[in-house]
Amino acid sequence: MSSDGALALSVQGLGKRYRLGETVGGFRDRALSEEMLSRLRRGLRRNRSVAPADLWALRDVSFDVRVGERVGIIGRNGAGKSTLLKILSQVTTPSEGRVETWGRIGALLEVGTGFHPELTGRENIFLSGAILGMSRAEVARKLDDIVEFSGVEKFIDTPIKRYSSGMGVRLAFAVAAHIEPEILLVDEVLAVGDAEFQRKCLARIAEIGSHGRTVVFVSHNMPAIMRLCERVIVLEGGAVAWDGSPQDAVHRYLDAAIRSVAQCEWESPSRAPGDSRVRLKAVRVLDPVDMLTDRIEINEPFTIEVEYWQLSDAADVHPVVVLQISDQDGTLLFQTADQTNVEWFRTRRGVGVVTSRCRVPGNLLAEGQFLVSVTVSTSDPYVRHVVESDVVAVDVVEASDGVTVKGGAIGEWPGLVRPWLDWSVAFERAAPDNAQHP
Amino acid sequence: MPQDAPPAHTVMVPVRGWVSLRLGDVWRARELLLIFAWRDLSARYRQTVLGVIWAVLQPVTMTVVFTLFLGRLAKLPSDGAPYAVFALSGLIPWALLSNAVGAGSESLLSSGGVITKVHFPRLVLPLGAIAAWLSDLLIATAVLIPVMFVYGLAPTWTALLAPVFALGIVLVAAGASLLLAPLNVAYRDVRYLTVMLLQLWMFATPVVYPLSKVPADLRWLYGLNPMVGFEAGFRWAMLGAGGPTSRDLLSAIVVTLAGLLAGLAYFRRVEHRLADVI
């Protein structure tokens, strides 16, 4: 079991069911009184045929991964990517089917798991390392490398509650990047940190992959997937829709997934994405007169509207809406956040519905399709309440008339953005008599 | 496990019904257990202004209150020892149980972020939370000894047996926490229920009154509370007075082991669902 063709992972007929209404053995988050009431009502109705609503996050998923393969997994939100990773990393159990793995598994799921704000950076390295499955001796041996990789040497003996969120994330990734598993599972860690640090993370993952280790990489970052993976699996609605070369898979994903969607809405907090404090209510693209639209003239402004429920009035819940606009290839064009509105940022939050609107000026984006990802997070202490990638999409079109950057030019007008910039042009006409001189 | 063995083979299949206790997992994760205990401990002392002093302040304050009301006003007997020392030597081990069950039953809920992200034996969370309170017992006991000297008492060789009774209390706390912690995830009522039960439990245990005050015809029923044997045992070890009968001790051991086994079995049965419901 160690030759080139050996299996690292084998997934057969895998299914994972979540029960929405009822859960097994009354095991769910709500007060006992509610539970008793609902049992009583059910008893009175004497209607046993109504099955609780089941949600199959994964159904009949089968694939094998060989030792040393670098496999990417892509798919829309709710396609089952995170559930698959959770099963592979043994965080949760399958409802049906079978998963077999050969080798020690290490997961780079959301980083910073287990960090305690009162402990210093150094202490948190030992804590986080132990949670991720490293022995004390192993952490001690790699301590210098981890500290150097994180770039927070100066603050390593400071409690991490005094860290900026960026420093916390870097330290967390540094620990996770030094587990040396035979099978590495990576989930969306690259959505954090600055460009420089993201490059460092990708390089580290590539390095781990190049040492003959198996890597399973879940991401929305298409360029990173194309660069790192030799094979890509596309999940759609909890099933494998494509399994093959990265180029084909990415095209398949983009074709299937990216229809322009002007609006994404959730009816109740219990079904909406988010945590116990914040749930996403709606994301919309609106034209200049506030009508839903999936098509915008290139020189017209438009508005991205995010509505969310805040469910907690605790002082440390201070949500900020962050928008990321990327193009069809998954390249991030810019990120913006509603903390730009300083007055709102200073406002004490409470339970209720918040509507954040961001006006994107005309003459900024180029022609083409753009995807909007929404994150709602609290920065101190850093908590990501909601992350919804590519949740709405908008087509930016060049009208046949009107004043635009491209104007009447014919053919391609390259560039990811197409800002209307001020030009000043000086022209000194050659004097007629000077021109006479040789 | 040897290092150069063939790669670890894991099979994940649906889990149904009662599963094995797999105590080997906990032994392999003992380092993580200690690190969780150390995290709880150092975070607790650092977050507070008085830090370690709290370990002493809590039982001492309660001792003052009970000495005034029960010792002075109600003139409760105290097995020959001065009431203040009697109460303190009972409140110290009781604080261990009460704090350990409190922390143990909250341990899963407060670690939701880790549970939904990383795989490790979940048992180390409640066990680590409980272990973190042993330091308070140690500190408080170190304060009890000078207090005994002030009242003209000195610990004898029996004090060496105190850790055995403390271990019994830890096992009682573990059994209770393993039942309460997953229930706490499912029903938030459990948090309030735990506080209430602990208060009632204290009065069903010889903490502030002597074992000799319990009516003889109810002793067999009273002895079913496993804390009776360990609590009275701890006090006897420190003060040399008012020890439990061998029947008290036997029933404490039997009930504790039964509770621990039930807690373990229940915890193992539901732990795989934790990540889905937290």
Side-chain angles (χ1 to χ4, degrees):
Chain A
M1 267 299 191
S2 60
S3 68
D4 270 350
L7 285 179
L9 272 176
S10 171
V11 177
Q12 290 150 24
L14 180 65
K16 176 70 184 180
R17 178 184 53 212
Y18 289 101
R19 299 209 170 161
L20 294 178
E22 307 293 307
T23 36
V24 196
F27 198 52
R28 99 193 88 162
D29 169 20
R30 64 179 194 185
L32 203 54
S33 53
E34 263 179 79
E35 170 94 337
M36 285 172 168
L37 265 179
S38 93
R39 290 218 166 150
L40 197 64
R41 278 198 213 105
R42 245 181 307 148
L44 288 176
R45 252 188 273 126
R46 294 238 163 254
N47 189 352
R48 297 234 161 183
S49 63
V50 179
D54 280 356
L55 174 81
W56 285 90
L58 289 174
R59 197 83 205 252
D60 205 20
V61 170
S62 300
F63 62 90
D64 287 340
V65 176
R66 307 204 160 271
V67 170
E69 256 191 315
R70 294 193 301 275
V71 180
I73 293 176
I74 58 180
R76 291 277 287 179
N77 291 303
K81 304 179 304 275
S82 312
T83 307
L84 179 59
L85 270 198
K86 278 188 181 174
I87 293 174
L88 293 182
S89 59
Q90 283 182 277
V91 164
T92 186
T93 50
S95 306
E96 58 177 37
R98 181 184 177 87
V99 176
E100 283 184 76
T101 59
W102 291 269
R104 171 171 145 172
I105 296 187
L108 285 184
L109 303 182
E110 206 173 324
V111 290
T113 34
F115 269 23
H116 196 291
E118 293 289 333
L119 303 181
T120 67
R122 187 189 306 275
E123 290 166 335
N124 269 302
I125 292 177
F126 280 95
L127 174 61
S128 185
I131 293 174
L132 294 172
M134 281 191 261
S135 71
R136 238 191 97 80
E138 197 180 345
V139 179
R141 200 171 61 240
K142 294 174 180 167
L143 188 64
D144 291 343
D145 290 345
I146 293 174
V147 174
E148 197 200 319
F149 189 92
S150 72
V152 298
E153 290 96 333
K154 274 191 216 155
F155 305 97
I156 202 64
D157 290 312
T158 308
I160 63 160
K161 64 180 176 188
R162 308 204 194 288
Y163 281 26
S164 71
S165 61
M167 284 159 64
V169 164
R170 287 210 296 274
L171 186 66
F173 184 83
V175 181
H178 285 80
I179 44 177
E180 283 172 3
E182 281 137 336
I183 303 167
L184 179 70
L185 309 174
V186 190
D187 185 15
E188 285 301 356
V189 280
L190 305 162
V192 295
D194 52 31
E196 156 82 44
F197 190 72
Q198 287 193 15
R199 222 169 298 129
K200 215 164 155 183
C201 298
L202 278 172
R204 177 73 193 167
I205 293 167
E207 189 192 325
I208 294 172
S210 69
H211 283 76
R213 297 212 185 87
T214 314
V215 179
V216 177
F217 183 39
V218 168
S219 179
H220 279 96
N221 185 334
M222 294 301 146
I225 287 267
M226 303 270 269
R227 214 172 326 138
L228 284 174
C229 304
E230 51 200 6
R231 172 183 160 203
V232 172
I233 293 170
V234 184
L235 289 181
E236 270 174 35
V240 175
W242 183 265
D243 185 346
S245 79
Q247 283 77 13
D248 294 346
V250 169
H251 284 133
R252 156 103 206 186
Y253 166 72
L254 293 173
D255 287 349
I258 306 177
R259 294 154 283 112
S260 289
V261 195
Q263 170 171 260
C264 212
E265 245 188 322
W266 289 267
E267 277 168 17
S268 73
S270 60
R271 304 253 173 132
D275 59 11
S276 58
R277 287 157 287 187
V278 171
R279 294 276 166 141
L280 199 57
K281 186 167 187 289
V283 184
R284 304 185 180 92
V285 181
L286 304 171
D287 70 8
V289 289
D290 282 350
M291 298 293 288
L292 276 179
T293 185
D294 56 12
R295 230 176 103 93
I296 290 291
E297 302 280 344
I298 197 163
N299 54 357
E300 292 276 348
F302 64 96
T303 299
I304 300 167
E305 184 177 274
V306 177
E307 273 186 274
Y308 62 89
W309 286 283
Q310 178 162 343
L311 306 172
S312 157
D313 57 359
D316 62 348
V317 179
H318 196 84
V320 169
V321 171
V322 182
L323 297 177
Q324 293 195 328
I325 315 293
S326 24
D327 71 5
Q328 261 184 304
D329 300 329
T331 307
L332 177 63
L333 295 186
F334 62 87
Q335 168 171 310
T336 180
D338 69 355
Q339 68 194 25
T340 311
N341 184 328
V342 177
E343 197 186 328
W344 164 246
F345 188 63
R346 287 184 189 146
T347 306
R348 172 91 159 76
R349 311 300 164 81
V351 173
V353 174
V354 180
T355 308
S356 260
R357 293 162 61 101
C358 171
R359 188 170 172 282
V360 182
N363 288 318
L364 173 67
L365 301 174
E367 281 167 275
Q369 194 173 39
F370 296 92
L371 301 160
V372 180
S373 298
V374 178
T375 305
V376 185
S377 56
T378 291
S379 55
D380 187 26
Y382 186 70
V383 179
R384 284 206 283 186
H385 304 297
V386 183
V387 184
E388 280 292 294
S389 301
D390 306 343
V391 63
V392 290
V394 59
D395 274 311
V396 175
V397 296
E398 169 93 48
S400 47
D401 52 350
V403 182
T404 65
V405 175
K406 189 178 175 185
I410 293 173
E412 284 276 301
W413 191 275
L416 296 175
V417 291
R418 199 173 295 176
W420 181 274
L421 302 174
D422 269 342
W423 282 77
S424 61
V425 182
F427 172 60
E428 202 182 332
R429 185 179 291 281
D433 48 309
N434 282 356
Q436 303 284 317
H437 285 283
Chain B
M1 285 207 305
Q3 281 290 312
D4 287 300
H9 182 212
T10 314
V11 179
M12 298 158 219
V13 288
V15 180
R16 288 196 188 84
W18 299 95
V19 291
S20 85
L21 298 180
R22 295 196 311 276
L23 291 178
D25 287 3
V26 181
W27 175 246
R28 275 188 289 281
R30 61 192 181 276
E31 223 175 64
L32 184 58
L33 191 158
L34 290 178
I35 282 189
F36 275 133
W38 160 80
R39 172 196 68 179
D40 289 359
L41 194 78
S42 48
R44 191 167 72 229
Y45 291 149
R46 273 177 228 184
Q47 256 160 343
T48 52
V49 180
L50 295 181
V52 183
I53 299 173
W54 280 113
V56 179
L57 210 54
Q58 191 197 4
V60 165
T61 313
M62 296 296 281
T63 300
V64 171
V65 171
F66 282 114
T67 305
L68 284 177
F69 286 92
L70 295 181
R72 291 279 161 83
L73 290 178
K75 302 253 187 291
L76 211 68
S78 46
D79 286 341
Y83 186 84
V85 181
F86 173 84
L88 187 59
S89 65
L91 284 161
I92 287 170
W94 180 260
L96 172 66
L97 178 91
S98 159
N99 289 325
V101 171
S105 64
E106 285 290 311
S107 60
L108 293 178
L109 212 51
S110 59
S111 294
V114 188
I115 289 174
T116 54
K117 295 290 182 296
V118 194
H119 162 76
F120 57 86
R122 308 305 188 207
L123 266 173
V124 300
L125 283 169
L127 298 185
I130 291 169
W133 286 98
L134 280 171
S135 68
D136 279 35
L137 177 86
L138 217 66
I139 295 163
T141 308
V143 171
L144 172 66
I145 293 168
V147 171
M148 285 168 65
F149 281 123
V150 168
Y151 282 90
L153 297 169
T156 60
W157 66 270
T158 55
L160 297 175
L161 289 174
V164 178
F165 296 107
L167 175 71
I169 294 172
V170 165
L171 295 181
V172 173
S177 298
L178 294 183
L179 279 170
L180 291 170
L183 280 172
N184 205 359
V185 174
Y187 304 106
R188 301 297 144 91
D189 304 74
V190 172
R191 178 178 297 170
Y192 308 108
L193 192 72
T194 305
V195 173
M196 199 178 75
L197 282 179
L198 280 171
Q199 280 166 353
L200 294 177
W201 198 354
M202 176 170 156
F203 290 104
T205 306
V207 179
V208 292
Y209 57 84
L211 207 46
S212 53
K213 282 298 265 187
V214 180
D217 49 341
L218 286 176
R219 268 306 289 277
W220 65 273
L221 184 67
Y222 185 76
L224 287 180
N225 168 9
M227 279 302 285
V228 169
F230 299 138
E231 179 79 22
F234 187 89
R235 176 180 285 138
W236 166 80
M238 294 308 293
L239 303 185
T245 62
S246 48
R247 202 179 58 181
D248 289 335
L249 280 178
L250 190 68
S251 80
I253 291 166
V254 170
V255 173
T256 300
L257 290 181
L260 195 60
L261 211 64
L264 270 172
Y266 174 70
F267 193 91
R268 282 303 194 192
R269 187 180 156 89
V270 296
E271 72 172 335
H272 71 274
R273 275 186 307 211
L274 289 173
D276 297 342
V277 292
I278 241 172

